[in-house]
Amino acid sequence: MKGTENSQVAVPALGFRQSMTGLHTWAGLALGWVLYFIFLTGTAGYFDTEIDRWMQPELPAPQIDLPAADTVTVLLARLQREAPAAERWFITLPADRNTPYPQFFWQGASSSSSRLTVDATSGEAFTARDTGGGQLLYQMHWRLHYLPRSLSNPVVGFATLFMLVALITGVIIHKKIFRDFFTFRPGKGRRAWQDAHTALGVVALPFHLMITYSGLILLGFSLMPLVVAAYYGTDPKGRQQFIADAFDPPGLLEPAGVAAPLAPLGPMIATAERRWGEGRILFIDIRHPGDRNARVLFHENTDDSVSTGREQLVFDGASGALLHTQPPSATATANSAAKGARDLLIGLHEGLFAPPLLRWLYFFSGLLGSAMAASGLVLWTIKRRQQTARRAGGPGAGLLLVERLNAGVVAGLPIGIAAYFWANRLLPLDLADRAGWEVHAMFLAWLAMLIHAALRPPARSWAEQFAIAAGAFGLLPLLNLFTSDSHLGQSLAAGDWTFAGFDLTTLGFGLAFAWAARRLWQAPETARQYSPRTAMGESL
Amino acid sequence: MELTGWRLLALAAPALLGGYALATASGIFLVGLLPVPLGEAVLAGNLLGFACYAVAVIWVFALRRPVRAWLQLLLASGILAASGLLLRGQLL
Amino acid sequence: MIPALPLITLAFAAVGCLCLAMERHALQLGANSRLVQKRNWLRRSGWLLLALATMVSVITGGWGFGLVALLGSLSAVTLAVIGLMTYRPRWLIYSTGACGIAGLLMSGPVIWPGI
């Protein structure tokens, strides 16, 4: 014991800042590509329902203006027919951009349905192409798609923790955070990348900190189950008890086992809309329908507050009487400080409240985060190149690997995302598991880019992949023109900003990639022979 | 002295595993400390545990002594978890 | 509903002033430029414009939406200011001035409705 300590004391001591630099580097590098993936797909997720809409152009216009009572009647009829004995019916009403069409699911003792999106007028599923849509793209940022939750949760959790550590250490090691606030020194290779990486981190630091910490909170119970288990035990029953203690509104009961018809929801809807305003019911959660102890929970739409915690009403499902409102007063946004803080962080993370201006700012901040992760990864290779240039011997295997992975991930992943959109329009409509193949197309395209990056010299592969990305994004509006009626000519004329916004945004990305590709292509020496100092630094 | 190879791993282990222990333990301690209903306290403990995790990771790398880091983190975790459970009367 | 144009123009003018008020960046525009002497004035204007942008955002959006919009627009405009300072420093002066005037004019009716 003592010997170990002594031997370490003998090693020349390093300053605190150097330790933090080392930690920053390794925390960033270890899961940097995962972080980039999380950032980019999560950023796309800020436009999840807009992407949904583009990927199912057959669907009718959003049904948010239909009277809630009519929609509920249609959906209840279907639930009564399909799952009369279920323990829980759950109806999401089309309230705003987040839910353009009604959704429902039911849970029974032994079986349950998935969440289904249906037509508010018929209660039946729409006849539209099979797709994962923007929802799948957004869910990827924490489910990593092919991985089971038992694996994706810890991977994403640790990536997020590393991100938090990298942010804190990044601030610590940034010597002149205020003096260098506006400083960017272009064209000098390493220093330009250093400046860019720092600027991308600093200008959106509040966003980065918020999105990282709230990301940890969203995975909180899965990452740190022992805090719950220490007090509630490890069996599922204890866990349910915790969820009930922490989140459920008061007044919920176990089923009595005595049948009693569900009271009509019309008066409850009227009560809720009197309190909140018309069309502001977000979901209706019916526990133990058909039992004497049935409860009907109404949840207010969250579109007018940053926090996801809004008022809930608890009705007696048998008599129809209003039992509780939670929180008890209309001014409080949550009934406990801890839940209030959690709701606020989750609300900030998801940004469901954000009207167009804020949504764009979220999207932009997300892009800054992606670019920060990417520039950090590139910066590492540039520093390494300089170090190996000074020493004898060629570049190590680690450096070569990171250089190639960087091109294949940073430029390759956007190409994969574009491929996802292309597959949505080009795969045959009757293909079995069509939605699955859309995603396979995304990852196959990405894999192809990784292979491409592994085979080509990095300076080349960056330029080539940016060129491919330029085409893949820039031509999407053209693809849309040939494969749907909602092309730019139509959407702009009709003022349909969901479709026009998608097409114009992808066009913008296409142009940006084209610009980047051109810049890289024009660096003549780097094209012929890979020279580390000029590879990315000089040409951008 | 470069922060690479075994030296890095020797620090990463207490940072990640010891830090995890400290994060969980400080969550448990906080639950014991807070004079609020249990469900709410557990929520708060879970909320703040991650901050302790990040601090622990930074602490280990600032310290740069793997063995001492292990000892400190595990000792602190033990004390925090035990006193948290004691405060809520879970150990008695 | 937070008005986008007043918020963005005020935020840009504020960050632009704060940037030009820094010695390093003022000198980038020439050592005898009048900016160097006006640094204190620029800094005060910058903070004032920032306060005004905060007011516009919070009055129209409330504390929650307002602060999120403010921080988001500050990120965006800071990046723009860095870009202009690096590649087109002259344009930064003009756009800061233009945004300041436009922002002040547009924010008037927001802060004092009825004008």
Side-chain angles (χ1 to χ4, degrees):
Chain A
M1 207 16 265
K2 209 158 171 102
T4 331
E5 291 287 300
N6 280 340
S7 72
Q8 280 167 3
V9 173
V11 178
L14 270 176
F16 176 66
R17 182 162 273 156
Q18 274 164 299
S19 298
M20 292 299 107
T21 308
L23 178 55
H24 181 84
T25 305
W26 290 110
L29 185 68
L31 292 172
W33 300 285
V34 182
L35 280 171
Y36 178 75
F37 178 88
I38 295 173
F39 258 114
L40 203 63
T41 50
T43 301
Y46 282 124
F47 284 118
D48 55 349
T49 49
E50 287 78 7
I51 296 174
D52 280 343
R53 187 102 183 81
W54 191 89
M55 291 179 83
Q56 283 189 318
E58 308 85 355
L59 292 192
Q63 300 178 317
I64 50 180
D65 293 327
L66 297 180
D70 295 355
T71 309
V72 170
T73 310
V74 170
L75 266 73
L76 266 190
R78 175 158 180 184
L79 280 163
Q80 237 134 16
R81 201 172 61 237
E82 206 169 294
E87 291 178 346
R88 185 183 189 194
W89 293 341
F90 194 99
I91 297 172
T92 309
L93 289 172
D96 55 20
R97 86 159 268 283
N98 300 318
T99 44
Y101 313 103
Q103 296 177 327
F104 75 87
F105 68 84
W106 51 266
Q107 287 174 343
S110 52
S111 61
S112 57
S113 79
S114 58
R115 187 183 277 264
L116 293 171
T117 302
V118 291
D119 186 341
T121 53
S122 69
E124 299 302 322
F126 293 107
T127 41
R129 70 190 67 198
D130 183 24
T131 178
Q135 300 307 318
L136 192 74
L137 198 56
Y138 129 79
Q139 279 171 1
M140 247 177 237
H141 89 278
W142 55 287
R143 289 192 181 171
L144 306 181
H145 194 68
Y146 288 112
L147 298 188
R149 292 285 290 281
S150 55
L151 206 59
S152 66
N153 276 357
V155 170
V156 173
F158 274 107
T160 317
L161 176 75
F162 283 22
M163 174 78 196
L164 182 63
V165 169
L167 279 175
I168 298 172
T169 50
V171 172
I172 292 174
I173 61 182
H174 190 4
K175 289 176 205 119
K176 295 169 276 183
I177 200 162
F178 291 110
R179 269 187 58 201
D180 283 349
F181 204 87
F182 300 103
T183 304
F184 179 64
R185 291 158 291 192
K188 292 284 191 297
R190 171 183 167 167
R191 203 171 60 178
W193 279 98
Q194 178 76 64
D195 283 350
H197 180 59
T198 333
L200 290 164
V202 171
V203 300
L205 191 60
F207 172 83
H208 296 328
L209 283 171
M210 175 281 288
I211 210 75
T212 307
Y213 205 80
S214 54
L216 284 170
I217 299 306
L218 278 162
L219 290 171
F221 303 123
S222 155
L223 287 185
M224 275 209 278
L226 288 176
V227 180
V228 179
Y231 294 95
Y232 285 95
T234 47
D235 56 334
K237 200 129 194 91
R239 201 180 150 75
Q240 272 171 18
Q241 183 59 43
F242 164 65
I243 302 284
D245 279 4
F247 298 109
D248 277 355
L252 301 185
L253 294 177
E254 291 292 308
V258 182
L262 186 67
L265 293 191
M268 304 185 205
I269 293 170
T271 306
E273 292 203 321
R274 253 199 317 280
R275 291 179 78 91
W276 304 331
E278 216 161 280
R280 296 208 60 246
I281 300 170
L282 185 60
F283 59 76
I284 302 174
D285 184 358
I286 305 170
R287 309 287 179 95
H288 314 299
D291 188 273
R292 199 182 61 195
N293 283 350
R295 291 288 180 267
V296 184
L297 315 179
F298 279 69
H299 197 285
E300 183 184 0
N301 196 4
T302 55
D303 63 350
D304 65 350
S305 79
V306 173
S307 164
T308 55
R310 298 300 291 154
E311 190 169 75
Q312 288 191 72
L313 302 179
V314 184
F315 290 93
D316 185 321
S319 72
L322 175 62
L323 301 175
H324 302 279
T325 65
Q326 196 212 26
S329 85
T331 48
T333 50
N335 49 348
S336 84
K339 185 167 182 298
R342 189 174 191 275
D343 286 345
L344 180 66
L345 277 171
I346 291 177
L348 280 169
H349 187 105
E350 294 178 335
L352 290 178
F353 64 90
L357 166 69
L358 283 178
R359 192 156 291 282
W360 278 105
L361 290 174
Y362 261 111
F363 183 74
F364 187 69
S365 304
L367 289 181
L368 292 183
S370 319
M372 175 179 64
S375 60
L377 288 166
V378 173
L379 181 58
W380 187 86
T381 61
I382 289 175
K383 284 186 177 172
R384 264 299 147 112
R385 275 279 168 191
Q386 288 188 339
Q387 284 168 10
T388 41
R390 269 184 250 122
R391 285 194 213 120
L399 175 59
L400 293 178
L401 178 75
V402 173
E403 277 178 345
R404 280 166 164 72
L405 268 174
N406 277 351
V409 173
V410 174
L413 176 59
I415 294 170
I417 293 175
Y420 182 59
F421 299 139
W422 281 83
N424 173 262
R425 290 301 164 80
L426 294 181
L427 288 178
L429 291 178
D430 54 357
L431 180 70
D433 189 26
R434 187 177 190 281
W437 276 104
E438 284 179 3
V439 192
H440 300 331
M442 168 175 167
F443 283 95
L444 284 172
W446 188 13
L447 183 67
M449 290 306 121
L450 284 167
I451 294 171
H452 171 259
L455 298 177
R456 304 282 287 154
R460 258 334 218 168
S461 61
W462 279 100
E464 286 164 1
Q465 295 205 13
F466 278 153
I468 297 171
F473 279 97
L475 295 177
L476 271 172
L478 209 60
L479 174 72
N480 192 27
L481 171 69
F482 290 121
T483 54
S484 88
D485 300 327
S486 313
H487 50 84
L488 269 175
Q490 190 277 335
S491 57
L492 280 175
D496 184 343
W497 287 106
T498 308
F499 278 98
F502 185 102
D503 280 354
L504 291 175
T505 307
T506 54
L507 193 62
F509 274 105
L511 292 174
F513 280 123
W515 176 83
R518 223 174 83 94
R519 292 294 298 256
L520 287 177
W521 220 284
Q522 279 172 345
E525 313 95 298
T526 63
R528 261 177 252 119
Q529 186 190 18
Y530 180 65
S531 151
R533 274 196 64 244
T534 51
M536 291 290 299
E538 302 287 47
S539 40
L540 265 190
Chain B
M1 184 183 67
E2 281 275 314
L3 193 63
T4 46
W6 287 110
R7 175 167 293 281
L8 180 71
L9 284 181
L11 284 173
L16 291 179
L17 301 175
Y20 185 79
L22 187 82
T24 300
S26 41
I28 292 173
F29 174 70
L30 204 69
V31 180
L33 197 68
L34 289 175
V36 292
L38 185 58
E40 202 183 317
V42 170
L43 212 54
N46 210 285
L47 218 59
L48 291 169
F50 293 108
C52 299
Y53 204 156
V55 170
V57 172
I58 289 170
W59 171 250
V60 170
F61 276 79
L63 198 67
R64 286 211 160 216
R65 286 173 175 70
V67 178
R68 193 181 286 182
W70 269 118
L71 280 178
Q72 288 181 352
L73 285 177
L74 291 183
L75 197 68
S77 303
I79 293 172
L80 282 171
S83 46
L85 289 170
L86 268 175
L87 282 166
R88 277 272 170 189
Q90 299 268 321
L91 279 188
L92 301 172
Chain C
M1 197 65 176
I2 299 168
L5 274 178
L7 175 60
I8 301 276
T9 47
L10 281 176
F12 184 91
V15 176
C17 280
L18 290 175
C19 172
L20 293 170
M22 289 171 78
E23 191 171 12
R24 174 190 295 177
H25 300 303
L27 288 175
Q28 253 171 284
L29 285 148
N32 341 321
S33 105
R34 276 186 297 156
L35 278 177
V36 184
Q37 296 140 32
K38 294 219 189 284
R39 280 180 45 226
N40 274 330
W41 182 85
L42 277 170
R43 192 168 49 243
R44 275 186 224 120
S45 313
W47 287 113
L48 202 70
L49 287 163
L50 191 59
L52 216 56
T54 313
M55 272 174 76
V56 167
S57 197
V58 171
I59 285 176
T60 51
W63 285 106
F65 280 49
L67 288 183
V68 174
L70 180 74
L71 289 174
S73 20
L74 284 176
S75 297
V77 298
T78 305
L79 211 67
V81 166
I82 294 175
L84 284 176
M85 190 69 239
T86 309
Y87 296 103
R88 295 282 184 278
R90 288 258 146 227
W91 292 13
L92 179 61
I93 303 178
Y94 306 136
S95 51
T96 298
C99 280
I101 294 167
L104 284 172
L105 289 175
M106 282 189 287
S107 66
V110 177
I111 296 176
W112 296 282
I115 283 184

